Amino acid sequence: MSPNETPGWVTFPSGTDQIQGYLALPEPRADRLPPVVLMAHENLGVTEHRQDVTRRYAAQGFACLTVNMFSRVGGRPPQDYTTVEERRAKAFLAATDEQAVPDFEAALDYLAGRGDVDTFRAAAVGFCLGGGTVLVWATRTDRLRCVVPLYGLPVLPPEYSPTGRPRSRIEAAESVRCPVQAHYGEADQFIPLDEVRQLKQALARSGQSTELHLHPDAGHAYHDDTHPNYHSKAAQETDRLTFDFLHAHLDR
């Protein structure tokens, strides 16, 4: 697939399974291949909005691949639910760290085999469900130069966890192996501010360069301009900080 053929869907192997991804490539440069951003979606899946954001990253000069973490269940989050909370829980259980992290490694392998992107300059960005995924991935790989989680849950509640017990990302955060820039809304109705503060402290203990931005008056999913919680000021500031951070780590 050439830049003229993207954006579009691709497939790649992860173990014995075929995983889908939505790929957007930037305009080619004569002097170097583009760096890579792996994107991890929220519990709604690879929506039209998520595809649009993938294209926005390509416009910034990044080869951006959003991995469909629901590839094994038909490409969409589980549909057999009766309440919103049950929908969220089933989505998280369909994209556990044990499954998603190897899929992202496989996505990076796929990109490395294409020959038209530079996977030695790679980063990951995640939203909500995917925010936690990229944070955990950053504790298990040395292939990423940086990660940017947006409103990833610091602690998964028991109903979101495959063990049936709370799963803390706070405990894992001090083991991240690359710089981190995290973003949260100060008015997030799902994520307690105390957990966000604990996450910030854990990241600081990692020995990596880390920062956590708390955006005033912004709720959960504030970056999604199709969501009722969309907060334009916080979203624009997040984009500015994120792109500056990614360029600083990937343009070298």
Side-chain angles (χ1 to χ4, degrees):
M1 181 180 289
S2 69
N4 292 332
E5 294 173 313
T6 67
W9 290 95
V10 297
T11 59
F12 55 89
S14 179
T16 58
D17 297 312
Q18 289 294 312
I19 305 301
Q20 304 163 334
Y22 186 81
L23 176 66
L25 299 178
E27 289 297 319
R29 289 174 46 171
D31 58 331
R32 68 194 310 193
L33 296 176
V36 165
V37 172
L38 280 298
M39 188 169 288
H41 57 72
E42 51 275 276
N43 63 66
L44 296 174
V46 190
T47 61
E48 289 293 333
H49 166 73
R50 184 57 42 222
Q51 295 172 44
D52 180 54
V53 175
T54 305
R55 295 189 293 268
R56 294 181 210 172
Y57 274 66
Q60 286 287 323
F62 306 111
C64 188
L65 175 61
T66 295
V67 176
N68 190 341
M69 293 186 281
F70 299 131
S71 294
R72 294 176 181 81
V73 291
R76 296 194 301 163
Q79 302 294 301
D80 56 334
Y81 59 86
T82 55
T83 66
V84 172
E85 184 56 29
E86 185 183 12
R87 178 188 65 76
R88 292 194 188 105
K90 289 193 171 187
F92 273 80
L93 291 172
T96 62
D97 297 339
E98 291 85 353
Q99 177 175 282
V101 169
D103 286 350
F104 276 87
E105 285 284 338
L108 201 48
D109 291 339
Y110 159 74
L111 290 172
R114 287 177 57 92
D116 56 357
V117 302
D118 184 359
T119 53
F120 291 102
R121 295 183 293 138
V125 177
F127 301 78
C128 184
L129 163 65
T133 300
V134 300
L135 187 62
V136 171
W137 189 20
T139 70
R140 300 180 183 179
T141 187
D142 294 313
R143 302 175 75 185
L144 297 173
R145 289 199 178 182
C146 62
V147 298
V148 182
L150 279 74
Y151 35 86
L153 275 64
V155 180
L156 293 182
E159 60 271 23
Y160 289 20
S161 168
T163 65
R165 299 186 300 274
R167 171 170 282 186
S168 176
R169 270 66 184 274
I170 297 170
E171 296 173 0
E174 60 186 56
S175 300
V176 294
R177 303 182 189 179
C178 64
V180 177
Q181 183 187 89
H183 295 270
Y184 287 89
E186 197 171 48
D188 195 311
Q189 61 273 46
F190 296 113
I191 301 177
L193 283 178
D194 184 56
E195 290 184 3
V196 175
R197 296 187 185 100
Q198 291 178 51
L199 178 65
K200 182 177 182 179
Q201 293 168 358
L203 287 170
R205 292 193 295 270
S206 70
Q208 299 289 337
S209 172
T210 64
E211 53 193 80
L212 190 150
H213 299 274
L214 197 57
H215 298 274
D217 303 319
H220 197 72
Y222 70 81
H223 189 266
D224 185 345
D225 54 17
T226 68
H227 194 282
N229 281 357
Y230 176 63
H231 192 291
S232 60
K233 182 178 179 180
Q236 291 168 17
E237 179 68 358
T238 296
D239 282 343
R240 183 186 68 80
L241 291 166
T242 298
F243 290 138
D244 285 350
F245 184 72
L246 292 173
H247 283 298
H249 289 283
L250 298 182
D251 288 350
R252 299 198 299 264

